[in-house]
Amino acid sequence: SKIRRAGYMIFVTVGTEKFSFDRLLKAIDHALDQGVIKEEVIAQSGYSSYVPRHFRGENFIGFDQMKKNIEEANVVVSHAGIGSTLLCLSLGKIPILFPRFKKWGEHLDDHQSDFSRKIDTVGKVLVAYDEKQLIDYVIHYQDRIAALKKFSMSKTKSDLVLYLEKMVTRK
């Protein structure tokens, strides 16, 4: 039995689309198996066929339970669905997004990676494009979000300064 950090929970959601997202679940399970992730993990696994060995989950949960899991989690790992992303942000969470890719049969197109690239520039989420980066973000989550918040604040501040400068020079 692996030692878990008490009170620290990672919530993984793959959404409710009729596509498997085994790659995400396997990456988390493998990191738990290797002892790289030591926290409790629970998941909403949707239509995925992979059955995790080192964490528990349900295929589908109600909206209230979804909100509760996101609120209680220290880290939220999510497919890059717009609905899941907006829910996390509305609940004050900075999610780690892991987009699905068409080439692996995870979706019909690459809209999740397109969405991820766009929202990544805003500085409100972490986006992992492969399994190694995903696990790195999970392990170093607090450091990553601290850096993200600095970037986000400086970006917002500089955007505001540029806007105000434009307004002043127009007079």
Side-chain angles (χ1 to χ4, degrees):
S1 164
K2 305 261 190 265
I3 297 169
R4 302 273 184 242
R5 204 176 337 166
Y8 197 97
M9 189 256 285
I10 298 166
F11 176 59
V12 177
T13 177
V14 305
T16 57
E17 294 266 355
K18 290 192 178 192
F19 296 96
S20 179
F21 202 14
D22 291 347
R23 187 168 58 98
L24 171 54
L25 301 174
K26 285 177 183 175
I28 299 292
D29 208 26
H30 180 70
L32 283 161
D33 185 51
Q34 299 299 306
V36 176
I37 293 177
K38 296 172 177 55
E39 294 75 28
E40 176 189 12
V41 175
I42 60 172
Q44 176 272 312
S45 57
Y47 288 94
S48 300
S49 57
Y50 181 75
V51 178
R53 296 190 348 243
H54 301 286
F55 62 93
R56 62 188 169 86
E58 295 178 55
N59 295 97
F60 300 99
I61 57 178
F63 185 72
D64 290 341
Q65 186 63 48
M66 176 70 82
K67 281 177 55 178
K68 185 176 188 276
N69 288 352
I70 291 169
E71 288 169 341
E72 291 178 358
N74 298 84
V75 179
V76 177
V77 176
S78 178
H79 72 124
I82 294 170
S84 297
T85 303
L86 291 176
L87 181 59
C88 288
L89 295 174
S90 74
L91 295 172
K93 294 291 179 169
I94 297 172
I96 301 171
L97 301 183
F98 193 63
R100 296 170 182 265
F101 287 95
K102 179 184 177 183
K103 68 182 174 184
W104 289 307
E106 297 165 346
H107 219 299
L108 295 174
D109 58 30
D110 285 327
H111 74 274
Q112 285 198 359
S113 58
D114 296 340
F115 170 67
S116 295
R117 277 192 293 279
K118 285 184 181 109
I119 196 164
D120 202 4
T121 63
V122 178
K124 302 289 183 201
V125 300
L126 294 169
V127 180
Y129 294 98
D130 61 47
E131 292 86 339
K132 186 177 184 298
Q133 188 179 31
L134 171 67
I135 301 308
D136 178 69
Y137 283 173
V138 170
I139 295 166
H140 303 289
Y141 182 75
Q142 295 303 326
D143 294 335
R144 297 288 184 246
I145 63 166
L148 187 69
K149 285 177 181 175
K150 266 189 201 170
F151 164 78
S152 181
M153 283 173 43
S154 67
K155 183 173 173 32
T156 305
K157 186 177 175 186
S158 64
D159 289 351
L160 180 60
V161 168
L162 287 171
Y163 172 76
L164 291 172
E165 284 174 351
K166 283 181 190 171
M167 295 307 289
V168 170
T169 57
R170 283 185 186 165
K171 290 184 178 183

